[in-house]
């Protein structure tokens, strides 16, 4: 959260595109959350700013309506990601986008060793370098994941493999939810066996010694 707040700078007004439940929204400035899913809007906590239902490709704002347009782990869900980024540039002079390098996600041990079918999905999505190029910026900040990261993003449990055995964890990961359930179940069964035998821990001793790991998340900051 701290790098995102730092990237917002002195901006007093922020539009949060693909706002979801508002996990990354700042509390010390005016925020307009835009979210296409009614279900996600209903899950926003009472203290969060009221959200407006809208899609990234057609933001209901005039040109330069806010200081910053923010988009956190959402671009890969957009129907037309280039059109969405053009809208970010239209409504704000500064864009702050958290995305990920799809090549690194596709090489995550869970994908490589257990559910390689996920790579097929990941590699069709816009990757952080492509997003930075589209926004015309070289200001790209790596954001490694702490071993005890609490957000439910797909690689969050990179040092806690047992977590992937929990159906609730898997349902919170779009990469798993959108992959063939049979493929995911086969991978989970293999992972369970490798955890019980000790093979996973023996093979991934290098990860167990790390406090943080680069899963490919990148904070992209652009200025018109």
């Amino acid at each position: 959260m701290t790098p995102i707040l730092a990237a917002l700078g002195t901006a007093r007004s922020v539009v949060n595109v693909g706002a979801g439940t508002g996990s990354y929204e700042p509390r010390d400035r005016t925020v307009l959350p835009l979210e296409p899913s009614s279900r996600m809007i209903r899950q926003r906590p009472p203290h969060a700013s009221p959200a407006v239902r809208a899609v990234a490709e057609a933001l209901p704002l005039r040109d330069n309506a806010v200081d910053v347009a923010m988009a956190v782990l959402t671009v890969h869900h957009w129907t037309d990601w280039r059109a969405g980024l053009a809208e970010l540039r239209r409504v704000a002079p500064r864009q702050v986008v958290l995305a990920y390098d799809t090549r690194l996600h596709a090489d995550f041990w869970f994908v490589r060793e257990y559910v390689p079918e996920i790579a097929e999905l990941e590699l069709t999505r816009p990757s952080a370098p492509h997003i930075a190029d589209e926004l015309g910026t070289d200001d790209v900040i790596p954001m490694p994941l702490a071993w005890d990261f609490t957000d439910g993003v797909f690689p969050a449990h990179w040092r806690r493999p047992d977590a992937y055995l929990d159906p609730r964890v898997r349902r919170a990961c779009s990469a798993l939810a959108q992959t063939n359930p049979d493929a995911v179940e086969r991978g989970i069964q293999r992972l369970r066996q490798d955890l019980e035998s000790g093979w996973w821990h023996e093979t991934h001793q290098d990860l167990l010694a790390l406090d943080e790991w680069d899963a490919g998340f990148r904070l992209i900051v652009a200025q018109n």
Side-chain angles (χ1 to χ4, degrees):
M1 185 66 173
T2 301
I4 295 175
L5 292 178
L8 297 179
T10 59
R12 300 308 307 164
S13 58
V14 179
V15 59
N16 185 16
V17 180
T21 59
S23 300
Y24 297 91
E25 291 173 6
R27 304 282 178 83
D28 60 346
R29 58 199 86 192
T30 301
V31 177
L32 172 60
L34 301 180
E35 167 58 44
S37 169
S38 297
R39 181 176 63 85
M40 295 298 291
I41 290 175
R42 288 194 297 270
Q43 293 177 17
R44 292 176 63 83
H47 60 74
S49 300
V52 173
R53 192 174 181 192
V55 297
E57 297 85 350
L59 300 179
L61 296 172
R62 60 177 172 77
D63 295 358
N64 293 312
V66 293
D67 296 327
V68 174
M70 181 173 81
V72 177
L73 297 178
T74 180
V75 175
H76 60 282
H77 292 304
W78 297 353
T79 302
D80 184 338
W81 64 275
R82 289 185 174 87
L85 293 180
E87 281 288 87
L88 298 190
R89 300 187 71 182
R90 180 183 68 79
V91 303
R94 185 176 179 86
Q95 302 84 43
V96 175
V97 178
L98 180 59
Y100 60 88
D101 188 322
T102 56
R103 295 169 302 174
L104 293 181
H105 260 44
D107 194 44
F108 176 37
W109 62 258
F110 186 95
V111 178
R112 189 177 61 248
E113 298 168 12
Y114 297 101
V115 191
E117 291 84 355
I118 294 174
E120 299 173 13
L121 169 65
E122 292 291 2
L123 294 175
T124 65
R125 291 173 160 176
S127 191
H130 301 145
I131 293 169
D133 286 345
E134 190 72 16
L135 290 175
T137 183
D138 294 323
D139 192 353
V140 179
I141 305 165
M143 295 188 65
L145 291 177
W147 76 270
D148 56 353
F149 191 61
T150 56
D151 197 308
V153 293
F154 174 43
H157 309 287
W158 58 271
R159 212 185 85 173
R160 296 168 288 163
D162 299 77
Y164 292 109
L165 304 182
D166 187 338
R168 293 170 298 180
V169 169
R170 300 199 297 273
R171 284 195 296 269
C173 301
S174 64
L176 290 171
Q178 296 175 23
T179 299
N180 184 299
D182 292 337
V184 174
E185 184 58 31
R186 285 194 300 269
I188 290 298
Q189 292 305 322
R190 288 196 297 269
L191 175 59
R192 180 177 284 108
Q193 292 168 6
D194 289 345
L195 290 172
E196 290 174 352
S197 69
W199 184 90
W200 189 93
H201 290 83
E202 180 179 349
T203 303
H204 295 288
Q205 291 182 40
D206 56 332
L207 289 181
L208 297 173
L210 300 178
D211 289 329
E212 61 180 22
W213 174 71
D214 185 5
F217 291 102
R218 300 291 183 264
L219 187 63
I220 302 162
V221 183
Q223 191 83 29
N224 293 353

